[in-house]
Amino acid sequence: MMDWNNLGFRYRKTAKILCCRYSNGSWGEIESTTDDNISLSAFAGALHYSIECFEGLKAFRGQDGKIRIFRPDENARRLKSSADFIGLPCPSEEMFIEMCARIVKENIDFLPPYGLNASLYIRPTLIGSNPQLGVQFAKEATFLMLCAPVGAYTGGALEPCNVAIARNYDRAATYGTGRFKLGGNYAASLYSLGIAQKQGYKATLYLDPQTHTLIDEYNSSNFFGIKGNTYVTPLSDTILPSITNKTLEAVAKAQGMTVERRAVPVEELSEFEEVGECGTAVVITPVSYIDDKPALEVTDPAQIKRYTFVTEGCGPKSLKLYRHITGIQYGELDDTFGWCLIV
Ligand SMILES: Cc1ncc(COP(=O)(O)O)c(C=O)c1O
């Protein structure tokens, strides 16, 4: 029996995965298998040159018993932009959405019950799969549709996390790949994340790689700050265009807040009443404090500037945004924006 209350965010074998292969200019049949090992050439470009991009979205079991997938069209479009950048053939929006709906139906027993802040995380993954030796565009691709039941990303839902600024590390280059969802970006952030985690931090916050004066994003989520009635989030070419953040901007406006997407200097952290992480996996995770230090390795408190936001729980405005977005996802509130696909 699945322990629905303690899912966390980790790999779990589900009933089925879907796999579709592209070669000679077209996609083949969508195959559904119980085995989540795939056959792949050891020379596949994905393994050597990181010719890989992916997505993350969620399906929810609603209060009304209906199953909702949140904004899959947005993920389909973002996958296309990532795939274009690394020259991978990409499934159409229709095919992407059809496979999202099918993976949920084929793993219906793994979709958590309503009322537990849990969901079925969907992981579309696109890789260059033909054997190759030189650095070239992939000729063949494999598109996988995977899923896993998940709860909170770190700790419990709305449990605040602490963050360290990674001043002496970047996750993406100025004219690089930060705005695409490429596996390589995550590999590039692991070393710095590891340093922060050894010191007890839950996440790293990266600055703009050009000047290191502006806030970019966390290792696996976007940044937002709230002061007064204003929701502030970075405008940057080196961050992932988060679908959750875009959603929160719309929700904040609907709640009568002012939304500012603009450059956010690090020092402005002292002016925010609430700061959070936002993303599909983290939903909204309030940030308790952010430590700014000359280098991530520094542990001497005298050299650390600490910005503190909440000591426990979640700030009231972040909580209101959280309730609004999860309310739509779980069918408790009207989906006035038309964001949910009912399957
Ligand atoms: C680096 C990074 N930024 C932002 C996000 C948030 O994007 P989204 O809201 O589309 O999930 C993610 C994924 O959750 C991420 O990995």
Side-chain angles (χ1 to χ4, degrees), residues 317-337:
K317 297 209 165 101
S318 304
L319 186 62
K320 198 172 165 201
L321 292 169
Y322 175 89
R323 295 238 164 94
H324 200 142
I325 175 173
T326 55
I328 293 173
Q329 292 168 332
Y330 288 110
E332 298 155 354
L333 298 176
D334 278 348
D335 180 16
T336 48
F337 297 94

Side-chain angles (χ1 to χ4, degrees), residues 78 171 181 186 217 219-222 240 242-244 279-280:
R78 192 171 63 189
R171 73 180 284 280
K181 203 163 172 74
Y186 295 82
E217 67 174 334
N219 55 291
S220 64
S221 57
N222 269 187
L240 190 74
S242 157
I243 296 158
T244 313
T280 298

Side-chain angles (χ1 to χ4, degrees), residues 48-103:
H48 301 267
Y49 304 118
S50 204
I51 308 179
E52 188 266 0
C53 55
F54 67 102
E55 273 304 323
L57 65 165
K58 281 176 172 173
F60 303 85
R61 209 186 278 276
Q63 192 181 35
D64 52 4
K66 289 184 182 155
I67 296 163
R68 291 171 175 80
I69 302 181
F70 195 64
R71 307 194 80 173
D73 52 329
E74 289 283 343
N75 294 90
R77 285 197 283 274
R78 192 171 63 189
L79 184 73
K80 174 84 170 81
S81 86
S82 301
D84 284 352
F85 193 74
I86 53 174
L88 269 181
C90 186
S92 67
E93 192 171 318
E94 295 71 38
M95 176 175 160
F96 180 97
I97 292 175
E98 178 198 324
M99 286 175 72
C100 285
R102 184 162 161 195
I103 197 72

Side-chain angles (χ1 to χ4, degrees), residues 84-142:
D84 284 352
F85 193 74
I86 53 174
L88 269 181
C90 186
S92 67
E93 192 171 318
E94 295 71 38
M95 176 175 160
F96 180 97
I97 292 175
E98 178 198 324
M99 286 175 72
C100 285
R102 184 162 161 195
I103 197 72
V104 175
K105 287 183 197 148
E106 296 201 10
N107 290 286
I108 200 73
D109 294 341
F110 292 87
L111 180 68
Y114 168 75
L116 300 176
N117 287 315
S119 57
L120 189 69
Y121 181 80
I122 305 172
R123 169 56 61 83
T125 306
L126 182 62
I127 63 175
S129 47
N130 59 286
Q132 63 180 82
L133 196 55
V135 182
Q136 290 148 6
F137 290 116
K139 292 186 189 68
E140 292 173 8
T142 300

